Amino acid sequence: MKILITTDLYQPAVNGVVSSLMTLREELMGRGHDVRILTLGDKQAIAKESGVYYLNSIKVGKIYPGARISLPINHSIIREIIDWAPDIIHTQCEFSTFHAARTIAKALDIPIVHTYHTVYEDYTHYFSPSKATGKKIVSVVSYLTLRATDAVITPSKKVERLLRDYGVDQTIEIIPTGIKLARFQQAFPEEEIKAQKRALGLSDDQLVLVSIGRLAKEKNLQEIIAYLARLQRPDLRLLVVGDGPYRSNLEAEVTRYHLEDQVIFTGKVAQEEVARYYQLGDIFVSGSTSETQGLTYIEALASGRPALCRADDCLEAFLIDGYNGYQYHDFDEFASYLDRLQEQGTRRRLGSRAANYVQQNFSSKVFGLLVESVYQQVLNKRQFAKNQESRADKS
């Protein structure tokens, strides 16, 4: 099968969308499919050697962090893709490359499958002064965009419910993004972990909460910092791994609460080093309710770390209270669950369950197989419709 994946975001950007599509591409290619990428970049030449096509674009970060929009479409690139003749297009973003995908799909009369990754309602502060107005814009744009697709993939039931509220009536398949588990499940040498903890100012007698991800307002890490201040526990440390536009605000909060000795910002770390940082912590924490699935949650569980997270619908597929972590609704629950996880035996028991549960349900192999199945269903449905139309014409 020839598969074109289109995305406004691509390497070297690091986020859930890029991780998901890179994992998917590798799995599909491993199953013998010819998979190419159409994305945005500063390049105008076609990168044939790596199977990636670039449309020239400019940055528009004020609309959405890391966002780009394409300049007038390079028709030679579109023609090159049409000549290659993909069987199906899998779109990952709703803007510039989606419009290019529609052009290609129309020219070849092929279906589009779309993965809806982002709950844009949680990002309205980037593009609308009014949350209500922003939500309406998101609803209408999402509905009109998805109307042009043959099927939609969502990473969680939460997103499916949201799209149904928008009036989307396309076929929706819920397929959680899989991850490559091996690098998170490897055990790093104990001395290596201890040495890195010492370098960060962490000691063995401290309980380390770890947060990994982009530092943005909608991630709600400010809530975890405020809770840490209310707990007044000098033995606690919060290790904040990552960088982003809200970092200075979070650092200001740390100063306001006089937590400079308890909160450690590592800044951005190399992707290949992320797995090690999960193992520097005892408990993974998150205050976010803006996730569609939350790949960092799954990575943390795969690393054998119990999770303590703000309750959210996206967690229902993998975070089971008392089994591999806890979901909290307020400070009192956060404090209570943290007390339960204070005991090392409890953390190890929940952490072991977490790793096993992820192994069974969220591998990249399962992810690739399920998405491939959607492609085949869509292609079969499209072929059936063509056959029916042909018979009708003959009669």
Side-chain angles (χ1 to χ4, degrees), residues 216-320:
K217 182 179 181 180
E218 63 275 4
K219 300 300 183 180
N220 199 30
L221 188 58
Q222 57 271 26
E223 178 175 84
I224 303 293
I225 292 171
Y227 284 2
L228 189 63
R230 290 180 65 182
L231 285 166
Q232 295 185 343
R233 284 184 49 175
D235 63 310
L236 287 180
R237 294 293 182 271
L238 174 61
L239 183 63
V240 180
V241 182
D243 210 340
Y246 206 61
R247 176 171 174 172
S248 61
N249 301 75
L250 295 173
E251 290 175 330
E253 288 294 284
V254 168
T255 300
R256 184 165 74 90
Y257 289 121
H258 306 293
L259 293 173
E260 293 90 342
D261 292 336
Q262 289 187 258
V263 181
I264 300 159
F265 291 89
T266 69
K268 186 177 180 179
V269 301
Q271 191 64 21
E272 59 271 17
E273 291 293 317
V274 170
R276 187 193 312 272
Y277 279 84
Y278 283 111
Q279 296 190 25
L280 296 179
D282 300 302
I283 303 165
F284 174 79
V285 293
S286 173
S288 177
T289 58
S290 67
E291 311 301 322
T292 55
Q293 178 185 356
L295 288 180
T296 55
Y297 301 170
I298 297 175
E299 291 172 355
L301 296 174
S303 302
R305 295 301 179 266
L308 178 55
C309 303
R310 160 69 65 176
D312 187 63
D313 289 346
C314 84
L315 300 172
E316 63 188 24
F318 54 83
L319 185 54
I320 304 167

Side-chain angles (χ1 to χ4, degrees), residues 33-107:
H33 300 293
D34 184 359
V35 186
R36 301 185 188 180
I37 306 289
L38 174 63
T39 188
L40 305 179
D42 295 323
K43 303 178 183 179
Q44 296 191 43
I46 300 171
K48 294 180 182 177
E49 67 282 358
S50 58
V52 181
Y53 304 92
Y54 291 93
L55 294 176
N56 201 24
S57 67
I58 57 173
K59 293 181 180 180
V60 286
K62 289 186 178 181
I63 295 177
Y64 175 78
R68 305 184 71 94
I69 59 171
S70 62
L71 297 171
I73 289 179
N74 187 323
H75 293 285
S76 66
I77 291 178
I78 300 301
R79 174 50 57 187
E80 179 80 12
I81 296 171
I82 291 172
D83 289 344
W84 171 55
D87 300 299
I88 194 167
I89 302 175
H90 189 167
T91 52
Q92 306 284 324
C93 297
E94 294 78 17
F95 306 109
S96 293
T97 52
F98 185 86
H99 297 299
R102 289 190 65 183
T103 299
I104 297 165
K106 184 177 180 180

Side-chain angles (χ1 to χ4, degrees), residues 106-313:
K106 184 177 180 180
L108 294 170
D109 191 22
I110 59 174
I112 295 175
V113 172
H114 182 77
T115 293
Y116 195 90
H117 287 280
T118 305
V119 178
Y120 291 103
E121 288 184 16
D122 296 317
Y123 295 79
T124 55
H125 53 278
Y126 288 109
F127 60 84
S128 173
S130 164
K131 188 166 185 176
T133 301
K135 181 175 180 179
K136 183 62 177 177
I137 293 170
V138 167
S139 173
V140 171
V141 170
S142 297
Y143 171 78
L144 293 175
T145 299
L146 298 181
R147 192 172 61 175
T149 68
D150 294 75
V152 179
I153 294 173
T154 66
S156 64
K157 187 74 176 175
K158 169 186 176 179
V159 184
E160 182 203 26
R161 285 193 289 261
L162 188 70
L163 294 182
R164 293 303 187 205
D165 287 344
Y166 292 165
V168 174
D169 56 6
Q170 263 72 10
T171 297
I172 296 179
E173 300 288 347
I174 301 170
I175 303 178
T177 297
I179 65 171
K180 296 186 178 304
L181 299 174
R183 68 191 184 104
F184 297 103
Q185 294 184 329
Q186 66 174 311
F188 291 94
E190 186 176 349
E191 283 307 312
E192 202 173 285
I193 294 295
K194 285 185 176 180
Q196 191 161 3
K197 289 180 76 170
R198 285 195 297 270
L200 290 167
L202 300 170
S203 63
D204 292 339
D205 60 342
Q206 295 165 344
L207 186 66
V208 180
L209 313 180
V210 61
S211 169
I212 296 182
R214 193 172 64 90
L215 304 186
K217 182 179 181 180
E218 63 275 4
K219 300 300 183 180
N220 199 30
L221 188 58
Q222 57 271 26
E223 178 175 84
I224 303 293
I225 292 171
Y227 284 2
L228 189 63
R230 290 180 65 182
L231 285 166
Q232 295 185 343
R233 284 184 49 175
D235 63 310
L236 287 180
R237 294 293 182 271
L238 174 61
L239 183 63
V240 180
V241 182
D243 210 340
Y246 206 61
R247 176 171 174 172
S248 61
N249 301 75
L250 295 173
E251 290 175 330
E253 288 294 284
V254 168
T255 300
R256 184 165 74 90
Y257 289 121
H258 306 293
L259 293 173
E260 293 90 342
D261 292 336
Q262 289 187 258
V263 181
I264 300 159
F265 291 89
T266 69
K268 186 177 180 179
V269 301
Q271 191 64 21
E272 59 271 17
E273 291 293 317
V274 170
R276 187 193 312 272
Y277 279 84
Y278 283 111
Q279 296 190 25
L280 296 179
D282 300 302
I283 303 165
F284 174 79
V285 293
S286 173
S288 177
T289 58
S290 67
E291 311 301 322
T292 55
Q293 178 185 356
L295 288 180
T296 55
Y297 301 170
I298 297 175
E299 291 172 355
L301 296 174
S303 302
R305 295 301 179 266
L308 178 55
C309 303
R310 160 69 65 176
D312 187 63
D313 289 346

Side-chain angles (χ1 to χ4, degrees), residues 308-361:
L308 178 55
C309 303
R310 160 69 65 176
D312 187 63
D313 289 346
C314 84
L315 300 172
E316 63 188 24
F318 54 83
L319 185 54
I320 304 167
D321 277 343
Y323 181 78
N324 56 7
Y326 294 97
Q327 297 185 50
Y328 70 87
H329 294 83
D330 53 32
F331 170 75
D332 289 337
E333 285 190 353
F334 183 90
S336 175
Y337 294 144
L338 188 62
D339 282 343
R340 297 184 195 183
L341 292 168
Q342 177 75 29
E343 205 273 311
Q344 189 177 63
T346 301
R347 293 199 304 275
R348 285 179 176 170
R349 185 170 63 255
L350 270 62
S352 176
R353 291 173 184 166
N356 290 335
Y357 188 76
V358 168
Q359 176 70 47
Q360 295 169 17
N361 296 280

